[in-house]
Amino acid sequence: MRPTLHLVHLYPGLLNLYGDRGNIITLQKRCAWRGIELRVHQIGLGESLPPDPVDLYFMGGDQDREQTVVERDLRERHREAIQNHVSAGVPFLAVCGSYQLLQQYYRPAEGPELVGLGIIDAYTVHPGHDVPRCVGNIVVEWEGGTIVGFENHGGRTYLQAGAAPLGRVIQGHGNNGEDGFEGARTGNVFGTYVHGSLLPKNPAFADLLLHLALKPRYPDYELEPLDDSLEATAHDAAIRRARAMRG
Ligand code: GLN
């Protein structure tokens, strides 16, 4: 039986500054290589979510300005549906500015505080434009392995009791450059500052998202392994590059 998954891609035209759409392409290819149909529903400002089932959410990163544009629409139009879906275990990957919008709030360097969905028990504060941004290659210890990529954010995120970190920073800044943690996981909701795009160089993370998306409606379906030698080569090169940058 050929599974069909429905992925909701929120605000693709607004939240895609660092090529985060590469994450969607990776999921599409990793499904196609296995004969899984992945239907991507692109949801822009003012648009409604597709009817159920929703099996997976993705929302990418962008600058503060775009976050401000998205914030009200996300909260007023989609908060209840998203909270119901993630409470039922639907996986959600949120990158950078989107990670911040799933938190309690994001206080930018100027302008009003953005109210998040409160799904991730954390908050983010931008320390001001005179403070260096968190920019560069990043390597994170994750589930016994590593996640690699690139980060570029001014906001500093502080996890609270209800949120576990995604991983521990080996190289780079992560959430705030102080506590040694990167990202957050609450249930099957994943927030991260890792761009790059994230998933092409981190196939194990991509397959975890697909496994979580499949489980509720296809509990007996097992993802067959793929030849990830190209991805592993890119992953290892990213680790070497990050360590070389550290000197
Ligand atoms: N608000 C984000 C920041 O902390 C925007 C950057 C991003 O999404 N890459 O700078």
Side-chain angles (χ1 to χ4, degrees):
M1 160 259 303
R2 174 187 162 102
T4 299
L5 291 178
H6 295 269
L7 183 154
V8 168
H9 185 182
L10 292 167
Y11 312 108
L14 278 167
L15 302 178
N16 179 38
L17 182 63
Y18 299 105
D20 290 322
R21 201 173 102 69
N23 296 305
I24 301 291
I25 297 169
T26 298
L27 293 170
Q28 285 175 316
K29 291 302 290 182
R30 297 187 75 80
C31 281
W33 289 332
R34 291 163 163 135
I36 300 169
E37 183 180 358
L38 180 68
R39 292 186 190 165
V40 179
H41 304 267
Q42 296 190 339
I43 307 300
L45 278 180
E47 296 180 345
S48 301
L49 295 178
D52 282 348
V54 169
D55 299 302
L56 177 57
Y57 281 96
F58 175 74
M59 197 160 66
D62 218 312
Q63 297 302 341
D64 290 11
R65 182 170 51 84
E66 285 76 14
Q67 280 176 276
T68 306
V69 171
V70 162
E71 179 238 0
R72 177 184 292 270
D73 190 82
L74 175 69
R75 184 158 39 84
E76 293 182 355
R77 183 177 292 276
H78 302 310
R79 177 202 286 260
E80 187 177 349
I82 290 173
Q83 285 182 329
N84 290 340
H85 283 139
V86 299
S87 298
V90 173
F92 196 132
L93 174 62
V95 177
C96 201
S98 294
Y99 169 30
Q100 296 168 352
L101 289 176
L102 294 194
Q103 298 172 25
Q104 293 155 7
Y105 63 83
Y106 169 53
R107 189 174 300 148
E110 63 252 340
E113 192 169 283
L114 304 186
V115 179
L117 297 189
I119 291 172
I120 295 178
D121 189 14
Y123 65 89
T124 297
V125 175
H126 193 304
H129 293 307
D130 56 341
V131 177
R133 292 175 66 81
C134 299
V135 182
N137 295 308
I138 182 170
V139 179
V140 180
E141 181 187 310
W142 173 73
E143 302 290 337
T146 47
I147 285 175
V148 299
F150 184 82
E151 62 182 325
N152 180 350
H153 56 101
R156 270 58 171 186
T157 291
Y158 300 92
L159 302 184
Q160 305 301 292
L166 181 67
R168 181 176 295 281
V169 176
I170 296 173
Q171 169 63 29
H173 305 274
N175 283 335
N176 51 50
E178 299 161 23
D179 63 15
F181 293 122
E182 153 54 22
R185 178 174 185 176
T186 301
N188 292 332
V189 176
F190 300 88
T192 182
Y193 279 116
V194 183
H195 292 282
S197 311
L198 166 65
L199 297 182
K201 286 199 284 277
N202 299 284
F205 197 169
D207 282 354
L208 172 62
L209 291 170
L210 292 176
H211 167 73
L212 294 171
L214 284 160
K215 201 162 63 174
R217 296 195 297 120
Y218 303 98
D220 300 326
Y221 186 91
E222 290 293 328
L223 284 173
E224 66 182 284
L226 296 173
D227 173 6
D228 286 334
S229 48
L230 278 179
E231 290 80 358
T233 302
H235 187 109
D236 296 343
I239 291 175
R240 286 196 301 275
R241 193 162 50 245
R243 287 182 170 152
M245 295 294 282
R246 183 174 57 179

